[in-house]
Amino acid sequence: MSKKILIIGACGQIGTELTKKLRSIYGVNNVIASDIRKLNIDVVNSGPFEVVNALDFNQIEHIVEEHQIEEVYLMAALLSATAEKNPAFAWDLNMNSLFHVLNLAKAKKIKKVFWPSSIAVFGPTTPRDNTPQYTIMEPTTVYGISKQTGERWCEYYHHIYGVDVRSIRYPGLISWSTEPGGGTTDYAVDIYHKALKEGSYECFLSEGTALPMMYMDDAIRATIEIMEAPIETIKIRSSYNLSGISFTPAEIALEIKKHIPNFNISYKPDFRQKIADSWPASIDDTCARNDWNWKPEFGLATMTVEMLENLNKS
């Protein structure tokens, strides 16, 4: 019998892709998708779906018991730029949803938890280049503060209660199949859409702002690989650094121009520039590579080809 999996926040940018992939591996009926509302999208219509408020412990517990869930992927969160506009709600959602799932695992109602952290845990005092796994973490955004706090709670629940919780610090994620979701790194998704539709893009970050990014296929693979890794190989219970590609808006524009020669980019930095300036430019993910054999597959050139080809088809 295949294990039963619950994805909370399945309608989000990562959740939609993760649900599809997990269903292809474990079978449609073994992966329960859930979100706060029932949208007319593929993950809702293609398999079991439950309307769940991630802030409602009783709702989550009921679904865990009803479907005999063994693993939970908690993908519900308010992202960086959106969270700055509503700090109190962002803190509530990002923290209390995590507590609900950790407490279900503590009570032995589920066996394993995946919770995503982010490069937002770092701050302006963090070494920006090749940021190490263990370093200064003084985040200056609500999102970063909640993720850093979440990391500490994950480690605590593992050490004190034996909860098998696993986490990776996502860099900026780039996908052709979902719209940008309010993150500071989302320019790197929007730029491909605008390049194809309008032939130009006005970037809200400055041309030389290097940020760690990753193609969604790599991120989904990393998420599933860390969850499938033998328990003894997972040595970090706060969250693993994860690296894919680092580039600037100028560099991604140059790559797009190889395929769309008349593409133009202009720059008009807004409040997200300050957020980006507080984050790393590149990430050292040696621990993930050594502990559970992580290795990215996509570079900037291969990702650009995939993005433009798939967006042209969609």
Side-chain angles (χ1 to χ4, degrees), residues 187-228:
Y187 89 85
V189 178
D190 201 28
I191 193 170
Y192 289 107
H193 287 269
K194 295 290 198 311
L196 287 167
K197 289 178 186 172
E198 300 169 17
S200 64
Y201 179 66
E202 183 178 89
C203 187
F204 55 73
L205 299 179
S206 65
E207 62 181 319
T209 305
L211 287 170
M213 302 282 190
M214 181 172 286
Y215 190 50
M216 186 63 81
D217 289 26
D218 270 346
I220 298 301
R221 187 169 52 81
T223 303
I224 295 169
E225 282 179 5
I226 193 173
M227 285 293 274
E228 292 304 309

Side-chain angles (χ1 to χ4, degrees), residues 87-297:
F89 176 66
W91 175 261
D92 191 22
L93 175 61
N94 294 355
M95 293 312 309
N96 285 317
S97 60
L98 174 59
F99 275 127
H100 294 338
V101 174
L102 290 176
N103 283 327
L104 285 169
K106 175 189 170 186
K108 307 288 191 237
K109 297 198 172 184
I110 50 179
K111 294 178 180 176
K112 201 184 291 185
V113 174
F114 177 83
W115 174 79
S117 189
S118 163
I119 58 167
V121 297
F122 303 119
T125 54
T126 302
R128 291 203 75 226
D129 297 311
N130 219 23
T131 301
Q133 174 70 42
Y134 300 103
T135 187
I136 299 164
M137 296 165 70
E138 295 181 326
T140 54
T141 63
V142 177
Y143 181 60
I145 292 165
S146 67
K147 288 297 184 184
Q148 188 197 29
T149 309
E151 286 191 15
R152 304 270 56 82
W153 280 115
C154 287
E155 193 168 59
Y156 181 87
Y157 269 74
H158 174 72
H159 288 314
I160 303 301
Y161 305 121
V163 169
D164 187 1
V165 57
R166 306 178 181 202
S167 178
I168 51 184
R169 293 171 181 153
Y170 287 130
L173 299 181
I174 301 171
S175 166
W176 60 268
S177 65
T178 48
E179 292 293 319
T184 301
T185 55
D186 277 351
Y187 89 85
V189 178
D190 201 28
I191 193 170
Y192 289 107
H193 287 269
K194 295 290 198 311
L196 287 167
K197 289 178 186 172
E198 300 169 17
S200 64
Y201 179 66
E202 183 178 89
C203 187
F204 55 73
L205 299 179
S206 65
E207 62 181 319
T209 305
L211 287 170
M213 302 282 190
M214 181 172 286
Y215 190 50
M216 186 63 81
D217 289 26
D218 270 346
I220 298 301
R221 187 169 52 81
T223 303
I224 295 169
E225 282 179 5
I226 193 173
M227 285 293 274
E228 292 304 309
I231 194 166
E232 65 273 9
T233 66
I234 306 302
K235 295 167 185 173
I236 294 169
R237 295 296 181 155
S238 51
S239 194
Y240 277 93
N241 272 5
L242 200 71
S243 182
I245 327 158
S246 283
F247 54 79
T248 66
E251 287 168 337
I252 193 173
L254 203 62
E255 199 62 44
I256 290 170
K257 281 175 78 72
K258 293 178 183 176
H259 305 272
I260 307 171
N262 294 326
F263 173 69
N264 285 307
I265 187 168
S266 57
Y267 302 94
K268 191 179 179 182
D270 65 12
F271 72 99
R272 287 166 285 196
Q273 182 66 49
K274 190 175 178 183
I275 297 174
D277 288 343
S278 74
W279 288 352
S282 58
I283 298 288
D284 179 355
D285 62 0
T286 304
C287 291
R289 291 170 185 261
N290 290 344
D291 290 0
W292 43 280
N293 298 320
W294 160 249
K295 189 179 179 184
E297 291 179 355

